[in-house]
Amino acid sequence: MTDRVAIFGIRHHGPGSARSVLAELDRLQPAAVLIEGPADAEPVLELAADPGMVPPVALLAYAPDAPRVSAFWPYAVFSPEWQALMWAARHQVPARFCDLPAAALLASHDDTAADGSTGTEGGIGTEGGMGTDAGPAADAGPEQSGPPEEAVLRDDPVALLAAAAGYDDPERWWDDVIESRLDGPSPFTAVTEAMAELRADAPTTSPAEQLNEQRREAHMRQALRSALKDTPGTVAVVCGAWHAPALTGKLPPASADAALLRGMPKRKTALAWVPWTHSRLAAASGYGAGVSSPGWYHHLFTTPEQPVTRWLAKVARVLRDHDLPVSSAHIIEAVRLAEALAALRGRPLAGLAEVSEATKSVMCDGDEFAAAFVTRDLVVGELLGAVPDSAPAVPLEADLRAQARALRLKIGPLEQTLALDLRKDTDRARSVLLHRLTALGIGWGTVAADQVRGTGTFRETWTLRWRPELAVAIIDAAPWGTTVATAAAAKIIEVARSAGELGTVTAAVEGVLLADLPGALGPVLRALDAKAAADSDVAHLMAAVPALVRAARYGDVRGTSTTALFVVVDALTARICAGLPAAVTSLADDAAAALRATLDGMEAALGLHAEDDRGRATRDRWIAALTVLADRRDVHGLLAGRVVRLLADAGVLPWEEAARRFAAQLSIGIPAAGKAAWAEGFLSGGGLLLVHDRDLLGVLDSWVATLAGQDFMDVLPLLRRTFGGFTAPERANIADAVRHLTGGAPGRAGPDELVDAGRAAGALRTVAAILGGVR
């Protein structure tokens, strides 16, 4: 440190670093504070001090012309940068961000396509601003060969410092030295000296990475020079520990830094504050500068007195909420164990490892499952931040709220039911908005499944409830577009293009029609055509047809042209009919069961399709293919019986002929299991057929009555599965019909012939003894 410059090398999201930064700021009372962050965020920086700003929050930068090109800078209450901002606001000291502007950072990203369907990795913006300095460690460079020491230094330079101090875990060393500190002298001089030694031996990275780091540090030095020029007092700099040596001591000539920064590409960029959550600060979320335990760090920073005792009290409350018995004695013993473990390990304060071991041993009786509740609810936690209403909103959120107001949809935490009539303009617009949000993963509303999957497409019933975490879902979806319509179209197109299964593409087609995105229909249909052409599995093709037929009906209701969908359905059906004879040959029981369900869906869809004049020829082609299958003897019994039933239901096969075939399949010469499979295929889907057709019921009843003992045991599971699919009233009506069958049915004995009085007498005496003690 020089007389006018104080460098605070911190770990991003470190409570000990934040506490040390506050202590040094109070001691030095600097005239200006520079903080690592995008230098062009100054227009929104003052909002950080707004009373409505509640961390965790994040600064979002995005390119207005390509919103999926974006970056996030998250802050928690225990982030040193956030505490520096708050200190500057309280003391009315100028605070600025000093890192490369977001306009330069985003300029290095590739643009999205015109339709917004491609972009940065993962389909969302990179959390690059803070992720480039994962605390005291530098970024992990590209995979390189070299000595083990170089690999450690490249991936985690603090590991070498920890090893020198006798620690096998660098996280624990940093936690002991920095994060668990409650007082003591400033650690920043020692941290800066240590990082200088590590930087001196740091392995060479790629030229692009070297240039990026050099430019970042050059920009920080330029900002420091500017601050020193603007104020006669001390300038404090809060930056990642890795950069501290580059800002310490005599600064190099300004001309060299200016040359590095000259000619840097930039692009138009917008910035906004957005809510964040602790789970998204966790390293497990993929955030480059994430910490493993944001909930624990929040507790350490906000509870400096008796942190272990108060933490374990919170643990007890969490476990009790999950109906686990935890008493005050458990808390006392857990505190003692945690402190004893810390003393044995020479730690200044019991850390997360100690309290977690104490929790698992004392409060959870060694149960990993119970301990997982604590990790999820406390160690990580799901604290949600908030931003003030005056803060600039993400364009997607602004569009969503504007549409909700226009459609009189109240955004509130209470659950409400919304019944829509799609023949009304307002209700149809509400349905479109909710379906678009669903496509984006913003689950404000849930539609009743039978409303979408059924045939009554003029009505929909939605359950609406706005949850706080949906604010983060909006941010996740924001890179897809600036409006709900463009974002939903971009995401559906990308889902269709990258789909691994045909069913995913057909679901995307359905989503396009539900969300009224005619501009996306062409790209999605092209993706469907490409995927269908490459898929030779008849079952996959049949599974795709129902969604397409439903989509065509949605289009009719919403006034969207669906001519292209009819063409696709007709083409798929032609391919299915051509491949169906080969697809039903030599199938195992499980494959036959799966194909039967697909047949049912295909038949129901084409029946709906035939209601339109354009679909009748396609339905006729399908019925012709089923007729061919009905006369084949190499088809699995489950499928053969189902095909006969479908043809009879369609009126193509007379019921008398269907009953004759049923009786023939239950005749002598066919194995019992084969008969049961045929009967299951024919009867499944509803029991009213047996209630109203007594002749058919008599054939089935006579066959069951004449089964031999082992045959009966073999077919019983199949018959139970068949009758188990009937509704309770249907089963009751079938039982009543069986009781009224006459003895004239073939092979069925009359009531008097079914009972042997001599053999029954012994059973009756036993039952009487059980019920009444009579012998």
Side-chain angles (χ1 to χ4, degrees):
M1 296 185 186
T2 65
D3 291 340
R4 294 189 55 208
V5 178
I7 306 298
F8 304 148
I10 51 90
R11 178 186 191 175
H12 303 300
H13 316 308
S17 295
R19 193 175 291 111
S20 297
V21 164
L22 286 177
E24 285 299 289
L25 290 175
D26 286 337
R27 183 180 69 85
L28 293 174
Q29 294 293 313
V33 179
L34 299 183
I35 301 168
E36 184 180 324
D40 50 357
E42 186 172 351
V44 297
L45 199 56
E46 62 182 16
L47 285 169
D50 190 291
M53 188 75 76
V54 181
V57 292
L59 188 62
L60 166 65
Y62 60 93
D65 58 333
R68 293 183 61 199
V69 178
S70 57
F72 296 94
W73 287 262
Y75 303 101
V77 70
F78 51 83
S79 299
E81 301 91 338
W82 183 261
Q83 288 303 320
L85 278 174
M86 297 300 100
W87 184 93
R90 287 194 302 270
H91 293 78
Q92 297 182 346
V93 171
R96 307 175 193 166
F97 281 165
C98 61
D99 205 346
L100 282 177
L105 174 67
L106 298 188
S108 63
H109 290 276
D110 292 333
D111 265 340
T112 61
D115 60 5
S117 59
T118 60
T120 54
E121 182 179 357
I124 61 173
T126 59
E127 298 171 14
M130 299 296 291
T132 51
D133 301 316
D139 283 346
E143 188 172 347
Q144 306 174 26
S145 60
E149 293 80 5
E150 285 195 6
V152 172
L153 180 57
R154 181 178 62 248
D155 295 335
D156 189 0
V158 173
L160 293 180
L161 297 177
Y167 284 71
D168 58 357
D169 183 356
E171 285 292 317
R172 174 167 295 204
W173 175 81
W174 184 266
D175 190 67
D176 284 354
V177 175
I178 304 295
E179 306 308 342
S180 295
R181 292 167 54 95
L182 298 179
D183 51 26
S186 168
F188 296 119
T189 300
V191 168
T192 300
E193 291 176 356
M195 291 299 157
E197 292 296 324
L198 293 176
R199 284 170 64 103
D201 296 325
T204 303
T205 57
S206 68
E209 289 177 325
Q210 291 183 55
L211 179 60
N212 180 65
E213 184 169 321
Q214 290 169 1
R215 283 176 166 173
R216 292 185 62 197
E217 292 176 349
H219 196 280
M220 292 180 191
R221 288 191 292 266
Q222 290 286 61
L224 178 56
R225 293 186 184 98
S226 177
L228 289 171
K229 183 178 179 180
D230 293 343
T231 178
T234 300
V235 176
V237 182
V238 180
C239 64
W242 184 256
H243 299 298
L247 307 177
T248 303
K250 185 178 180 180
L251 299 180
S255 58
D257 288 338
L260 268 175
L261 298 173
R262 190 177 298 119
M264 283 187 61
K266 294 184 179 180
R267 71 183 306 162
K268 186 177 180 181
T269 305
L271 292 104
W273 287 104
V274 296
W276 215 247
T277 64
H278 273 177
S279 63
R280 291 179 64 83
L281 282 169
S285 69
Y287 170 38
V291 294
S292 60
S293 51
W296 166 252
Y297 275 4
H298 179 87
H299 174 79
L300 279 182
F301 186 78
T302 57
T303 314
E305 297 181 1
Q306 297 183 317
V308 174
T309 303
R310 294 184 178 183
W311 173 263
L312 290 171
K314 291 180 179 179
V315 169
R317 185 161 54 248
V318 167
L319 294 176
R320 289 167 185 157
D321 288 342
H322 289 282
D323 297 327
L324 296 174
V326 179
S327 66
S328 299
H330 284 96
I331 300 175
I332 295 171
E333 290 304 316
V335 170
R336 290 174 177 171
L337 178 56
E339 292 176 345
L341 288 173
L344 287 172
R345 295 167 181 173
R347 304 199 67 183
L349 178 72
L352 180 60
E354 286 72 32
V355 296
S356 296
E357 291 174 26
T359 296
K360 181 179 176 182
S361 300
V362 177
M363 296 184 174
C364 302
D365 294 326
D367 187 352
E368 293 278 1
F369 186 75
F373 290 136
V374 179
T375 300
R376 184 193 65 191
D377 297 347
L378 273 184
V379 176
V380 175
E382 191 60 341
L383 183 64
L384 176 68
V387 298
D389 294 336
S390 58
V394 176
L396 180 64
E397 180 178 5
D399 182 62
L400 188 162
R401 293 183 178 275
Q403 290 194 50
R405 285 194 298 270
L407 296 173
R408 299 188 298 278
L409 290 174
K410 183 179 179 181
I411 296 178
L414 299 180
E415 186 174 288
Q416 55 180 314
T417 300
L418 190 66
L420 303 179
D421 184 343
L422 301 183
R423 293 168 292 187
K424 299 178 180 179
D425 292 341
T426 299
D427 283 2
R428 185 165 60 251
R430 289 173 173 176
S431 172
V432 166
L433 174 62
L434 293 171
H435 279 296
R436 288 174 178 175
L437 294 176
T438 300
L440 287 170
I442 303 172
W444 181 15
T446 303
V447 64
D450 58 341
Q451 298 289 329
V452 173
R453 301 301 179 188
T455 57
T457 56
F458 285 104
R459 293 190 178 277
E460 285 181 352
T461 302
W462 289 81
T463 301
L464 304 184
R465 186 170 72 89
W466 188 267
R467 303 181 304 278
E469 58 268 25
L470 292 181
V472 178
I474 293 174
I475 303 308
D476 285 339
W480 291 103
T482 56
T483 67
V484 175
T486 57
K491 185 171 183 178
I492 290 178
I493 290 172
E494 179 61 20
V495 167
R497 286 177 175 173
S498 60
E501 298 180 355
L502 183 61
T504 304
V505 188
T506 55
V509 175
E510 192 173 8
V512 166
L513 272 295
L514 283 168
D516 192 17
L517 300 169
L521 186 58
V524 173
L525 286 180
R526 287 193 293 273
L528 174 64
D529 186 57
K531 181 62 66 174
D535 198 332
S536 59
D537 191 317
V538 171
H540 289 171
L541 298 177
M542 284 196 292
V545 170
L548 294 175
V549 172
R550 287 196 302 268
R553 287 177 59 80
Y554 297 145
D556 289 342
V557 172
R558 291 165 170 80
T560 305
S561 175
T562 56
T563 302
L565 290 181
F566 280 94
V567 173
V568 173
V569 170
D570 295 344
L572 285 180
T573 304
R575 289 186 58 194
I576 291 167
C577 292
L580 191 59
V584 297
T585 303
S586 303
L587 293 179
D589 292 344
D590 54 347
L595 192 58
R596 184 201 66 180
T598 309
L599 279 174
D600 286 346
M602 180 80 178
E603 166 62 18
L606 291 183
L608 201 59
H609 188 53
E611 293 181 4
D612 190 288
D613 292 339
R614 295 171 290 182
R616 289 175 184 170
T618 300
R619 172 73 187 289
D620 292 341
R621 184 183 297 113
W622 166 250
I623 292 298
L626 292 183
T627 303
V628 173
L629 294 184
D631 295 327
R632 287 176 50 178
R633 296 185 177 276
D634 60 342
V635 179
H636 191 284
L638 189 65
L639 295 176
R642 195 60 186 163
V643 167
V644 170
R645 173 66 180 273
L646 293 178
L647 292 174
D649 286 341
V652 177
L653 192 68
W655 278 107
E656 294 77 7
E657 174 62 17
R660 187 194 65 77
R661 294 190 182 214
F662 186 85
Q665 287 296 324
L666 300 184
S667 61
I668 298 174
I670 299 176
K675 297 176 183 179
W678 204 100
E680 180 182 1
F682 186 84
L683 297 173
S684 61
L688 292 180
L689 178 63
L690 292 176
V691 174
H692 297 293
D693 194 328
R694 296 301 177 89
D695 292 336
L696 199 63
L697 180 60
V699 171
L700 180 63
D701 182 67
S702 298
W703 169 62
V704 173
T706 57
L707 283 172
Q710 186 57 47
D711 287 343
F712 180 79
M713 297 301 295
D714 290 339
V715 303
L716 182 60
L718 298 176
L719 291 176
R720 289 190 63 179
R721 183 171 62 190
T722 301
F723 281 83
F726 300 159
T727 64
E730 286 175 340
R731 292 196 299 269
N733 288 334
I734 292 172
D736 184 67
V738 170
R739 283 194 295 269
H740 291 85
L741 284 175
T742 63
R748 178 175 177 82
D752 296 338
E753 298 172 342
L754 292 176
V755 179
D756 184 325
R759 296 175 61 188
L764 290 175
R765 285 194 297 270
T766 302
V767 172
I770 294 173
L771 296 178
V774 180
R775 295 184 179 275

